[in-house]
Amino acid sequence: MLKKILSATVCTAAFSIALSAQNISSGNIFPEIWEGEKSLRTESDCTKAEGDFNNDGIKDIVVIATPKNPEFMRARDDGYVYNFNKPVLAIFFGQKSGKLKLFSEYKNTIPGDDAENEDCFHETEMSVSSKGVLSISVSEFYSQGGSDAPKTEYVFRYQKGDFYLIGKNYDSFSRYSGDGEKVSENYLTRKKKTVSYNVFDESVPEKETWSKLPSAPLQRLGEKLLAVFEE
């Protein structure tokens, strides 16, 4: 949790500086979410990544921010505060003028913590490759109970005017037995690789199997929740 708090603080400060340098106020980066209550505009848990998505030589920015609307926050007896606000994903394209232009805002894409299961926490990380490929990783862990430590990475590429899911990588292992499984799906080649392993016992050999995925159109970013587990 400390890592998450520190990264959020650094992100908020760095992003505010970037916006100020381009004459963009933090109050209008998410217009529909940040208008109204002052806390929605100035207080949020935030992570960001930078890269060139549209291959125009200009830096673009992707942000995940969770507002701190008091209506969806709850304090424990020991003082810890749960934030059950829904995270917002937004992508900004850099302009020749040096300013940022909002490409799109996604309100129901990044999973947030659930008030009905307060022992379960989500953590989201992002990265952008040198070729402008966006990776969003969602991890799930429990403060008590739960034997697995699952993590799913979604890989998107900007093409034909939108961001499309071109791959997905899933990794989970049991914290009790150490048995784990890594699954990698490539939606361009329609191939799937599955690797079984044991995180505690290196003498257990990894087992790799391959299979073919059925043909299907590429999914756009924002079409569904980027959950750790999918139905």
Side-chain angles (χ1 to χ4, degrees):
M1 292 301 293
L2 179 59
K3 177 183 177 182
K4 185 175 182 180
I5 293 171
L6 289 175
S7 63
T9 303
V10 172
C11 169
T12 302
F15 193 52
S16 297
I17 293 173
L19 292 175
S20 298
Q22 300 175 75
N23 298 318
I24 300 176
S25 69
S26 60
N28 62 16
I29 58 172
F30 302 121
E32 296 182 25
I33 296 295
W34 261 247
E35 287 180 357
E37 294 290 337
K38 182 179 180 181
S39 62
L40 298 185
R41 299 195 303 272
T42 61
E43 300 180 18
S44 66
D45 292 328
C46 169
T47 57
K48 77 178 183 74
E50 301 175 347
D52 185 4
F53 298 127
N54 53 359
N55 196 32
D56 63 357
I58 303 174
K59 183 187 296 182
D60 308 311
I61 296 178
V62 55
V63 183
I64 296 176
T66 306
K68 290 186 176 180
N69 183 348
E71 182 180 354
F72 301 104
M73 302 185 76
R74 186 167 68 209
R76 289 192 316 211
D77 293 339
D78 61 3
Y80 178 80
V81 179
Y82 294 99
N83 186 352
F84 298 123
N85 284 273
K86 298 300 182 183
V88 179
L89 170 68
I91 297 175
F92 299 85
F93 280 172
Q95 307 296 301
K96 290 182 179 179
S97 63
K99 294 187 177 182
L100 296 172
K101 181 180 180 181
L102 178 65
F103 169 77
S104 191
E105 174 181 281
Y106 310 88
K107 300 177 184 177
N108 298 302
T109 298
I110 305 300
D113 296 333
D114 187 353
E116 296 183 359
N117 190 6
E118 60 186 32
D119 294 325
C120 178
F121 295 90
H122 293 88
E123 184 171 295
T124 306
E125 300 174 319
M126 296 185 294
S127 64
V128 182
S129 75
S130 59
K131 294 184 178 180
V133 175
L134 170 64
S135 295
I136 303 176
S137 298
V138 182
S139 302
E140 182 179 279
F141 62 94
Y142 290 81
S143 58
Q144 57 182 358
S147 63
D148 295 334
K151 178 178 181 179
T152 299
E153 177 189 28
Y154 295 85
V155 183
F156 294 91
R157 185 171 68 187
Y158 182 76
Q159 57 187 41
K160 298 180 181 180
D162 210 339
F163 287 84
Y164 289 87
L165 183 67
I166 61 172
K168 185 171 67 177
N169 303 302
Y170 172 81
D171 188 4
S172 180
F173 68 89
S174 170
R175 290 183 290 183
Y176 299 148
S177 68
D179 291 332
E181 183 178 73
K182 295 180 181 180
V183 178
S184 180
E185 298 179 344
N186 187 317
Y187 302 132
L188 299 178
T189 63
R190 310 307 302 177
K191 292 182 178 180
K192 176 180 178 180
K193 180 175 73 171
T194 302
V195 178
S196 61
Y197 66 95
N198 189 290
V199 71
F200 299 145
D201 189 352
E202 296 183 355
S203 67
V204 176
E206 292 187 351
K207 181 180 179 181
E208 180 179 304
T209 57
W210 288 83
S211 58
K212 188 173 182 179
L213 297 169
S215 298
L218 294 178
Q219 174 190 319
R220 286 184 173 90
L221 175 60
E223 286 187 350
K224 61 189 300 185
L225 181 72
L226 304 187
V228 179
F229 294 108
E230 296 187 32
E231 297 180 357

